Amino acid sequence: MRTFTLGAGLLAALALAACSSGGGGNAARSQDNAEAQPPAAAAKNVIFFLGDGMGIATTTAARIYAAGEDGQLTMDTLPESGFVKTFSNDAQVTDSAPSMSAYMTGVKMNNEVISMSTDTVAKSPTADLTSNCGAGNGKPVSTLLELAKAGKRATGVVTTTRVTHATPAATYSHACHRDAESDIAAQLVPGGAQYNAALQDGVDVVFGGGRQFFLPKAAGGKRADGRDLVAELKAKGYGYVADKAAFSAIDPAKTQRAVGLFTSSHMSYDLDRDPNKEPSLAEMTIKAIDLLANRSGKQGMFLMVEGGRIDHALHETTAKKALQDTVAFDQAIQAAISAMQQKDPGLKNTLIVVTADHDHTLVLNGYAKRTGKTAPGNPGVLGLAKDYVSGKNLTDADGMPYSIIGFGNGENRVAGARSAAAALTDDAVSANDYHQEAAIRMPAGGETHGGTDVYIGAIGQGADSIHGFLENIEVFGLVKKAAGL
């Protein structure tokens, strides 16, 4: 298991940023102090981190998993924080498409819709995963990334999912349904059919999975139109990489624009990732920052970084994978803060925002004793719930032990009395592929999102405007204003 330690250097950097960059404190918010200071400059650099499905229970469990109950993740240390409502235009519980689109556009939209007007009706795509929207079905609305392009800033998208998946797609494309991934991919290719002209000369850096939607069926992809979008991107001057070795060889001083598609579909869970084949989220984030910072003629950057597979592991109810991906996401935040402190000491020209699009049904059960972090020989929060006085296994109404982590719904629900099944052990419930038990049975992989509020945190220039209790559409306006877009 990869371990996580919050270094003293990062703590010092966070403290410096909080003091010098609008990062926090009541004094920074006082009217007298505000009147004594000149108007704050806009943050020319914006890094927007999105942990897909990363609800409060998941971040709590990930903290215990990585650092123990009294430990910290990087996101815990951000000087400004608050909560965000996540409901969509037509649903109490949102999916990723309208929730990320709300952050990127400031517009509430219906479930499944990508960066379109509120009146857009989600219509399932064709069998070839191309749009089937119909005439007059809504209109595109501008995204933060598009506004950044209009402001002559370098732009980038980094994700562990397919780059055409809902969250990354919401930054650069417009679709009446998130599953139209063939069309979403085409919107990335400058000058090609269906290109999103609002991207001007194109998104500068794109790293993630999803090669299948960029290649024709004859080349092992899923495109029915025969187009080879990889070849088209290369023809437009993009450097293209498909593995870790080529990724590592990218020289930011010599590369203006880059696309990395490391897997056919989603990238591997961090727990399963082969570091010789796929870069980590932190590595992709740092490479993107270096490339964007060196992009000639650009006046700052807008970078979106998604920890996308947190969500997928939660849908599977494989908690260990979800927690490890949350830690990997947090490590990317740590790496980005450190990198930007080197380029912009005190983050005087940089705003970093961390949030989630929605939560899931993960819960922490029972009056369990403190476990400390997960380590060899100690399952930690992934283990069985044990009484905080006696240390013995806690038991349910059937007299059977149960795990600390459970789900409101999911695929693993014992039929009838749990005493009819074999008793759980710490080794069983802390295994990499163990599916935690659920209260309501769902099909395999069918655990649902939850509807509760999510965390938001910020550091850097303009961060002090991001606090309190927010609607997701409000975040767009706060970031837009802080960045001067």
Side-chain angles (χ1 to χ4, degrees):
M1 186 195 76
R2 299 172 182 87
T3 59
F4 174 90
T5 302
L6 189 65
L10 178 59
L11 287 172
L14 290 166
L16 172 62
C19 293
S20 63
S21 64
N26 291 331
R29 297 196 192 115
S30 72
Q31 184 172 351
D32 290 342
N33 189 49
E35 290 174 351
Q37 299 295 326
K44 68 177 184 178
N45 305 309
V46 175
I47 306 178
F48 194 97
F49 280 93
L50 193 287
D52 200 310
M54 189 184 70
I56 295 294
T58 298
T59 57
T60 302
R63 179 191 307 120
I64 300 169
Y65 167 78
E69 287 85 351
D70 54 0
Q72 287 183 317
L73 299 175
T74 299
M75 67 183 91
D76 297 328
T77 68
L78 299 181
E80 298 294 339
S81 61
F83 296 96
V84 181
K85 295 181 181 180
T86 63
F87 65 92
S88 68
N89 186 58
D90 62 348
Q92 184 181 87
V93 177
T94 187
D95 78 277
S96 296
S99 50
M100 184 56 169
S101 295
Y103 288 138
M104 292 296 106
T105 69
V107 176
K108 282 278 187 186
M109 55 199 73
N110 295 327
N111 273 8
E112 315 290 353
V113 174
I114 298 281
S115 296
M116 297 284 285
S117 55
T118 300
D119 59 337
T120 305
V121 177
K123 292 189 175 181
S124 297
T126 68
D128 292 324
L129 300 178
T130 59
S131 293
N132 186 33
C133 297
N137 186 9
K139 59 184 180 181
V141 287
S142 296
T143 71
L144 287 171
L145 187 146
E146 291 170 344
L147 294 173
K149 290 297 297 187
K152 308 299 182 185
R153 304 189 197 192
T155 58
V157 172
V158 172
T159 180
T160 52
T161 69
R162 297 190 294 266
V163 299
T164 52
H165 213 235
T167 295
T171 67
Y172 66 80
S173 71
H174 307 275
C176 74
H177 200 286
R178 57 179 288 172
D179 290 345
E181 293 188 62
S182 286
D183 284 357
I184 289 169
Q187 292 187 50
L188 266 177
V189 184
Q194 298 178 293
Y195 178 58
N196 177 13
L199 300 176
Q200 300 186 16
D201 61 344
V203 180
D204 299 291
V205 176
V206 179
F207 289 149
R211 194 164 51 236
Q212 61 190 355
F213 290 110
F214 290 79
L215 296 175
K217 291 183 177 180
K222 288 191 173 182
R223 299 199 64 83
D225 58 7
R227 291 176 66 185
D228 183 340
L229 301 188
V230 170
E232 292 182 31
L233 286 165
K234 289 179 180 179
K236 290 296 180 178
Y238 282 88
Y240 173 73
V241 296
D243 56 42
K244 177 66 177 294
F247 169 83
S248 298
I250 295 173
D251 184 350
K254 299 178 180 179
T255 305
Q256 286 288 293
R257 298 192 292 179
V259 172
L261 301 174
F262 302 103
T263 50
S264 177
S265 186
H266 303 302
M267 295 182 71
S268 299
Y269 289 118
D270 195 64
L271 202 62
D272 302 330
R273 180 177 61 87
D274 182 342
N276 295 313
K277 294 181 179 179
E278 298 177 45
S280 68
L281 185 59
E283 289 170 331
M284 290 192 290
T285 299
I286 295 306
K287 185 75 76 172
I289 288 172
D290 288 343
L291 285 162
L292 298 177
N294 287 342
R295 183 78 162 96
S296 62
K298 297 301 180 182
Q299 325 222 341
M301 71 175 78
F302 177 87
L303 173 63
M304 191 288 296
V305 179
E306 182 200 19
R309 304 228 63 197
I310 301 167
D311 175 79
H312 297 164
L314 292 169
H315 279 304
E316 292 180 356
T317 61
T318 48
K320 189 172 184 178
K321 292 181 178 180
L323 302 190
Q324 180 59 42
D325 263 67
T326 303
V327 172
F329 175 69
D330 197 70
Q331 290 170 336
I333 299 167
Q334 178 186 20
I337 293 172
S338 296
M340 293 309 299
Q341 285 284 5
Q342 293 295 317
K343 299 177 187 299
D344 176 25
L347 303 183
K348 295 178 181 178
N349 300 294
T350 300
L351 171 64
I352 298 175
V353 179
V354 178
T355 191
D357 48 355
H358 54 76
D359 78 332
H360 277 261
T361 68
L362 183 147
V363 294
L364 301 183
N365 290 313
Y367 297 101
K369 66 176 293 186
R370 289 173 57 160
T371 65
K373 69 179 183 180
T374 298
N378 178 31
V381 72
L382 292 165
L384 296 176
K386 300 182 189 301
D387 184 84
Y388 62 87
V389 176
S390 68
K392 296 180 180 179
N393 288 340
L394 294 170
T395 56
D396 66 2
D398 295 320
M400 300 296 286
Y402 56 87
S403 59
I404 296 172
I405 295 178
F407 284 83
N409 59 54
E411 61 192 76
N412 181 13
R413 182 176 184 274
V414 176
R418 292 181 71 247
S419 55
L424 297 175
T425 65
D426 279 321
D427 286 344
V429 301
S430 62
N432 289 5
D433 294 318
Y434 179 70
H435 297 261
Q436 274 70 23
E437 289 182 282
I440 299 170
R441 186 190 298 279
M442 300 294 284
E447 183 271 347
T448 70
H449 297 173
T452 58
D453 309 321
V454 297
Y455 162 85
I456 188 169
I459 185 173
Q461 183 62 47
D464 56 357
S465 67
I466 300 174
H467 62 272
F469 197 71
L470 302 168
E471 292 274 1
N472 53 9
I473 54 175
E474 289 182 273
V475 176
F476 165 83
L478 294 172
V479 174
K480 179 175 181 289
K481 181 178 180 180
L485 295 173

